[in-house]
Amino acid sequence: MRLRDAIEDYLSYLRIERGRAPLTLESYARELEAYRSFLEENFVVEVENVVRSDIAAFESSLVKQGYAASTIKHRLSAVKGLHRFLVREGVLQSNPTATLPVPKIPQRLPDVLSIRQMSALLSQPFPATPAGTRDRAILEVLYGSGLRVSECCGLNSDDCLLEEGYLRIRGKGGKERVAPIAGTALQALVCYLEEARPCLANPYKPTAAVFLNARGGRLTRQSVHAIVARAGQAVGQKQLHPHTLRHSFATHLLEGGADLRAIQEMLGHSDISTTQIYTHVDRSHIREEYLHAHPRA
């Protein structure tokens, strides 16, 4: 079987039988296209001819090109998934990736803004326009409810259970959860929904999306990235990323005494070990406070 056909079959399996999200499928398609291109450049076009040394050479090429360990791990995971699928379908007799180790990723603490920095970011003046009101609401919701960018963009009007103080979130893998919203985040969202969204909405192309662009369509992830980066630049936070607001949300909750399990549920983490990284962030915060306050530190 040709590599191109095998990859198409695998992506169809992920979409139809496993119900993977479109963004996940795009990611897998991109990683496997890089794998196919490498093999074909080395005159391997049939999956039956792939051997372990070919995959090891693919990994070495990624290292030489300077890819991060996380990118290499993700790319090799896609390759391993493809070959497991082909064995299960009877296309291959054995899996050439079975004994291939996946590179370990050094643990890196997430970027976090201090409470003072978050206050400066959210207290800055925004333009007195529908777009300015929307941008403020986006920043408040990302930090106030700890949403991922895709979750923020995916919000629909009926997901805003504002009287109850919750947002209904569709997270990774289609999992639903509720995220609390209160205080300034709730105020900013209500202000946007009542005053700004009607001005942005296109009466000829109605949509359920909460956050709209200038044409009345659903705001994209790229647009939210640009909004956050622009707001960060205004207060001296260069290249601010939306995920930094989510990390800050979790860290500040932990510093304030919130239970780790509750934070896990609010973030939508399936495994508590993913949430536990914030305990390390919290410890670094304590050390910073100590160094700042102790007279002989």
Side-chain angles (χ1 to χ4, degrees):
M1 176 183 277
R2 292 179 66 84
L3 279 162
R4 186 184 300 275
D5 296 332
I7 290 170
E8 286 181 1
D9 286 351
Y10 180 51
L11 293 174
S12 295
Y13 160 75
L14 291 177
R15 183 181 68 254
I16 298 169
E17 295 191 32
R18 299 299 299 275
R20 296 300 190 205
L23 288 175
T24 302
L25 292 171
E26 286 177 21
S27 175
Y28 270 78
R30 187 167 55 249
E31 308 296 21
L32 292 172
E33 176 59 24
Y35 176 58
R36 182 187 68 79
S37 297
F38 173 83
L39 291 178
E40 291 186 353
E41 286 171 6
N42 289 275
F43 309 105
V44 179
V45 296
E46 304 284 336
V47 292
E48 292 85 353
N49 296 332
V50 178
V51 295
R52 188 183 187 281
S53 60
D54 293 323
I55 302 166
F58 174 59
E59 180 181 1
S60 296
S61 75
L62 297 176
V63 173
K64 289 177 182 176
Q65 292 175 70
Y67 282 100
S70 57
T71 302
I72 296 173
K73 180 177 180 179
H74 189 267
R75 197 157 284 186
L76 290 179
S77 294
V79 170
K80 281 175 169 281
L82 169 66
H83 284 279
R84 281 197 302 268
F85 166 76
L86 294 173
V87 170
R88 192 164 55 247
E89 293 295 302
V91 176
L92 297 179
Q93 295 299 312
S94 60
N95 183 352
T97 70
T99 60
L100 191 75
V102 175
K104 292 183 179 179
I105 302 176
Q107 190 178 55
R108 178 177 173 272
L109 294 179
D111 294 328
V112 173
L113 297 184
S114 68
I115 294 175
R116 183 178 298 175
Q117 288 170 323
M118 278 303 315
S119 179
L121 179 71
L122 298 175
S123 300
Q124 67 177 286
F126 287 81
T129 62
T133 303
R134 176 203 63 198
D135 294 354
R136 178 190 291 278
I138 286 172
L139 289 165
E140 286 279 7
V141 168
L142 287 172
Y143 173 63
S145 296
L147 303 191
R148 301 179 178 95
V149 176
S150 57
E151 295 168 349
C152 181
C153 294
L155 277 176
N156 290 330
S157 298
D158 60 1
D159 294 327
C160 299
L161 313 173
L162 301 185
E163 290 188 5
E164 293 89 344
Y166 289 103
L167 299 174
R168 183 167 50 226
I169 308 300
R170 293 170 185 83
K172 287 186 175 181
K175 294 179 181 177
E176 285 196 7
R177 70 180 191 279
V178 292
I181 183 167
T184 57
L186 178 59
Q187 293 168 15
L189 182 56
V190 169
C191 180
Y192 163 72
L193 290 173
E194 292 181 352
E195 299 177 15
R197 189 182 182 280
C199 299
L200 294 171
N202 185 340
Y204 302 104
K205 292 183 179 179
T207 175
V210 169
F211 292 113
L212 306 179
N213 58 31
R215 297 176 301 281
R218 188 183 295 275
L219 207 62
T220 64
R221 296 165 70 248
Q222 291 80 3
S223 295
V224 173
H225 277 270
I227 289 166
V228 172
R230 188 165 58 244
Q233 188 77 28
V235 293
Q237 294 293 332
K238 295 181 179 179
Q239 298 180 331
L240 182 63
H241 193 281
H243 223 63
T244 301
L245 306 190
R246 177 172 159 89
H247 291 322
S248 302
F249 162 84
T251 303
H252 297 165
L253 281 176
L254 194 63
E255 290 172 359
D259 177 71
L260 195 64
R261 288 285 182 186
I263 296 173
Q264 176 193 2
E265 189 173 338
M266 284 185 267
L267 291 173
H269 288 162
S270 56
D271 193 330
I272 189 68
S273 63
T274 309
T275 318
Q276 282 173 335
I277 190 170
Y278 295 110
T279 62
H280 300 299
V281 178
D282 188 41
R283 289 185 197 123
S284 67
H285 163 77
I286 291 171
R287 177 171 170 75
E288 286 175 13
E289 291 293 323
Y290 163 75
L291 293 173
H292 175 73
H294 197 285
R296 298 182 66 81

